[in-house]
Amino acid sequence: MSVTVASYNIHKAVGNDLRFDPGRILDVIDEIGADIAVLQEADRRFGARQATLPAALLAERGWQVAPLAERSASIGWHGNAILVSDRVTLERAARLPLPALEPRGAVLADVRVDGHLLRLVGAHLDLSGLWRTRQINAIVDAIARQPAAPPVLVMGDMNEWRLRSPGLASLASAYPPVPLAASFPSRMPIGQLDRVFASRSLTIEEAGVHRSALARRASDHLPVWVRLGAVPGLATDG
């Protein structure tokens, strides 16, 4: 298995120049060469929760949207969406409710790449440390309740500056963190808010923060990415 997975808070496709430009977001993802994109803030927050990446544009650019939305105008759930390219087979998707004062949720997708099953979890966590810890514990518990047990990538905007915070520490004990540099704010990153956690059975060939000039304009966050290599002993039947 060799696959590149990106996590990106797209800020509702509004860049630092205050322009709404969904095509620019997809251009940034293309720069990374991602096969899978785990997105945050992919829908507007109020009203019909209109998707900020139009369905026609996604189809034109070769992206399939994981069926996570509850509303016809959305592509995600609480802004969390997962896109897969044509070299990835999407097998199932699920919404993971989280405890929260404000609307929050995580999403899950099982995908198959070159015969290997991979579980993806995307999240955009609360600004409150107390609620973040509760949400992370809920995510770990929800993953444990899922059918089968393929390797897992947990990705997203964790809204946490400290890896050793109580919430992230509990997540890291189950899924070790992938070392990444700061990704927020995109013009001059100082905060490592966008994080990736991976099962020990996964081989991380490369990982990084995408810092192109386009990415610095397209959103207030820079995307982060991991490239997965072969998984020794991983069964291909899931």
Side-chain angles (χ1 to χ4, degrees):
M1 179 174 70
S2 178
V3 61
T4 300
V5 188
S7 176
Y8 194 8
N9 183 330
I10 67 171
H11 198 232
K12 302 177 183 65
V14 176
N16 287 316
D17 54 6
L18 304 183
R19 287 176 50 223
F20 172 69
D21 192 341
R24 178 168 60 181
I25 293 294
L26 296 181
D27 289 341
V28 171
I29 296 172
D30 285 345
E31 286 183 342
I32 298 168
D35 302 294
I36 303 167
V38 178
L39 305 180
Q40 302 88 50
E41 296 195 21
D43 301 319
R44 293 188 172 90
R45 191 169 184 180
F46 301 107
R49 308 286 177 89
Q50 183 77 32
T52 57
L53 303 179
L57 179 61
L58 289 168
E60 177 186 324
R61 302 287 285 266
W63 291 105
Q64 178 186 359
V65 180
L68 295 161
E70 288 186 314
R71 300 172 183 241
S72 60
S74 305
I75 62 168
W77 191 54
H78 294 301
N80 298 290
I82 298 176
L83 310 179
V84 300
S85 71
D86 57 7
R87 71 171 296 248
V88 176
T89 302
L90 178 62
E91 297 215 338
R92 64 183 286 266
R95 296 183 288 269
L96 306 180
L98 299 180
L101 285 176
E102 56 179 318
R104 295 281 179 177
V107 294
L108 177 149
D110 287 346
V111 301
R112 199 171 289 277
V113 185
D114 297 338
H116 297 290
L117 193 63
L118 175 67
R119 178 159 291 156
L120 303 162
V121 176
H124 187 186
L125 300 185
D126 206 283
L127 294 172
S128 159
L130 174 62
W131 286 100
R132 276 198 305 274
T133 299
R134 294 172 178 173
Q135 290 163 359
I136 289 169
N137 290 336
I139 288 170
V140 173
D141 290 345
I143 295 172
R145 293 194 301 269
Q146 298 301 310
V152 177
L153 275 180
V154 181
M155 316 177 77
D157 178 358
M158 302 300 173
N159 266 323
E160 175 57 72
W161 294 69
R162 300 171 300 125
L163 182 59
R164 295 185 180 181
S165 67
L168 291 188
S170 67
L171 182 58
S173 67
Y175 306 103
V178 176
L180 292 167
S183 57
F184 177 84
S186 56
R187 284 179 171 169
M188 189 176 293
I190 58 172
Q192 192 180 347
L193 303 187
D194 303 284
R195 298 181 184 268
V196 180
F197 299 81
S199 292
R200 291 173 176 84
S201 60
L202 289 172
T203 300
I204 308 296
E205 291 187 339
E206 291 184 88
V209 178
H210 186 67
R211 298 186 178 92
S212 72
L214 187 63
R216 292 183 186 277
R217 292 195 305 273
S219 171
D220 61 342
H221 285 248
L222 295 172
V224 298
W225 57 272
V226 294
R227 183 166 300 115
L228 304 179
V231 183
L234 178 62
T236 58
D237 61 2

